[in-house]
Amino acid sequence: MKNFLVVDDSFTIREMVSSCIQGEGKNIIKAADGAEALALAKENTFDFVVTDFNMPHINGLALVEALRGLPQYKSIPILILATESSPELKLKGREVGVTGWILKPINLDTFAGIVEQVIDRHKQ
């Protein structure tokens, strides 16, 4: 069973993303912000994280940086969902260890395909 963490301060987005990636062999846990996600990540081990960028308490980049500082999250895939896509922001994302940057609004079919590609790439 693969454990997925979906983080977004919007209930609707959390539910959409979760329903998009759910499937056999996937356990999906949801968090409403970066602080809740970090607490969950310290108590559990997740195989994949999808996080919003703009959130209260801890934003997506700070969350990724904190997760990458934990041994069990050094190499797992972490995707950022954002409305911003400036080259500077994406560079900062790469610097802290973001696996991929996906712009909102998301096309659910495209997003599901991206998640599967990232999972397949990280199996190798």
Side-chain angles (χ1 to χ4, degrees):
M1 175 85 55
K2 295 277 186 192
N3 290 317
F4 284 65
L5 178 60
V6 175
V7 189
D8 201 298
D9 56 325
S10 163
F11 174 81
T12 304
I13 298 292
R14 277 195 314 273
E15 293 303 310
M16 280 183 4
V17 168
S18 297
S19 68
C20 178
I21 61 176
Q22 74 183 3
E24 193 172 321
K26 295 177 183 171
N27 179 41
I28 300 172
I29 306 295
K30 299 169 228 167
D33 60 45
E36 181 182 356
L38 187 55
L40 285 167
K42 289 178 178 178
E43 296 170 7
N44 305 278
T45 300
F46 294 100
D47 303 295
F48 198 100
V49 176
V50 178
T51 182
D52 186 21
F53 171 67
N54 282 316
M55 297 181 291
H57 310 295
I58 298 175
N59 74 27
L61 290 183
L63 174 61
V64 172
E65 191 168 26
L67 290 175
R68 292 296 188 214
L70 301 171
Q72 67 270 38
Y73 296 103
K74 291 278 187 212
S75 62
I76 67 149
I78 303 176
L79 299 180
I80 291 267
L81 299 176
T83 54
E84 300 85 2
S85 65
S86 74
E88 299 82 17
L89 204 50
K90 286 183 171 181
L91 176 61
K92 177 66 175 160
R94 282 191 296 276
E95 289 171 354
V96 299
V98 171
T99 306
W101 197 278
I102 299 172
L103 283 178
K104 289 180 182 179
I106 58 173
N107 173 300
L108 296 180
D109 292 332
T110 302
F111 179 71
I114 290 169
V115 168
E116 290 307 317
Q117 285 177 353
V118 172
I119 290 170
D120 289 345
R121 210 174 329 138
H122 277 81
K123 285 180 185 174
Q124 302 170 357

